[in-house]
Amino acid sequence: ISLDLGTNELWFSEIDTAQQRLLPMEPQKLQMEIGAGPRHLTFHPNGKWFYVLNELNNTITVVKKDVKGNYKLENSVSTLPENVQKANTAADIHMSSDGKFLYASNRGDNSIAIFAVNTENGSLNLIAHVETRGIGPRNFSLSPDENFLLVANQYSNNVVSFKRDKKTGLLNIVDQIKAFSPVCILF
């Protein structure tokens, strides 16, 4: 699956292992909601659905297969707190390996949105917003053991570490370090 922010579409391909190339699937494209701007996606561990983070309208769209095996847009939820007035763009998205929690970053509001995932149908329930303690949370990542979530705040030049509660999905500040214009965190 490829995301095309410019055309506002998802593009589907499959790997031809014999010829070592990508081949378009049918249908090849799926149009997103007007003005969405797909940026990143993450799959649920069960493989039944995935979540598209939309940069321009600050939403997450649940995408599932229909009875014919074609992908369809299920529903979208906002990544922002209610009544946010400042300009914002969504930046990054990650799923916990148990499939119970989904996290998304907001640049402008400078927060991480935390969602509980309904493991029966994939629907999302917003449970909290946590301030990133910086400006421009471009990227974030769960530690390999998923006990921590680290945020790269690009415009305030800091990386912030949060302790993650695996039962509730909630985050608590631990510490921060200075880093010049951090844009990616890899473990």
Side-chain angles (χ1 to χ4, degrees), residues 23-68:
L23 299 174
M25 293 175 63
E26 284 298 324
Q28 181 182 6
K29 300 175 188 176
L30 179 61
Q31 184 70 46
M32 298 298 290
E33 296 169 5
I34 294 172
R39 179 177 174 86
H40 291 295
L41 65 83
T42 190
F43 290 89
H44 192 276
N46 69 15
K48 295 179 182 178
W49 50 78
F50 61 92
Y51 301 90
V52 177
L53 180 74
N54 299 299
E55 179 176 10
L56 303 179
N57 73 356
N58 306 292
T59 62
I60 298 171
T61 302
V62 181
V63 181
K64 296 182 181 180
K65 285 188 178 180
D66 63 18
V67 293
K68 296 180 182 178

Side-chain angles (χ1 to χ4, degrees), residues 148-164:
F148 297 92
L149 185 144
L150 279 72
V151 180
N153 290 304
Q154 182 178 9
Y155 302 120
S156 56
N157 301 311
N158 64 332
V159 174
V160 179
S161 177
F162 294 91
K163 176 77 173 145
R164 179 177 170 267

Side-chain angles (χ1 to χ4, degrees), residues 12-130:
F12 298 94
S13 305
E14 58 188 345
I15 298 173
D16 177 346
T17 55
Q19 297 186 29
Q20 297 185 1
R21 64 182 185 152
L22 288 175
L23 299 174
M25 293 175 63
E26 284 298 324
Q28 181 182 6
K29 300 175 188 176
L30 179 61
Q31 184 70 46
M32 298 298 290
E33 296 169 5
I34 294 172
R39 179 177 174 86
H40 291 295
L41 65 83
T42 190
F43 290 89
H44 192 276
N46 69 15
K48 295 179 182 178
W49 50 78
F50 61 92
Y51 301 90
V52 177
L53 180 74
N54 299 299
E55 179 176 10
L56 303 179
N57 73 356
N58 306 292
T59 62
I60 298 171
T61 302
V62 181
V63 181
K64 296 182 181 180
K65 285 188 178 180
D66 63 18
V67 293
K68 296 180 182 178
N70 296 321
Y71 288 102
K72 65 175 185 159
L73 306 181
E74 188 74 14
N75 65 330
S76 295
V77 297
S78 176
T79 63
L80 294 171
E82 289 184 31
N83 303 317
V84 170
Q85 300 297 319
K86 53 187 139 190
N88 195 86
T89 54
D92 201 6
I93 186 169
H94 294 282
M95 167 78 59
S96 61
S97 62
D98 63 8
K100 294 180 179 178
F101 299 101
L102 184 69
Y103 300 88
S105 61
N106 293 303
R107 294 176 290 185
D109 182 57
N110 300 315
S111 66
I112 301 291
I114 305 170
F115 296 90
V117 178
N118 180 320
T119 56
E120 296 296 317
N121 63 20
S123 64
L124 299 174
N125 180 41
L126 177 68
I127 56 176
H129 285 94
V130 175

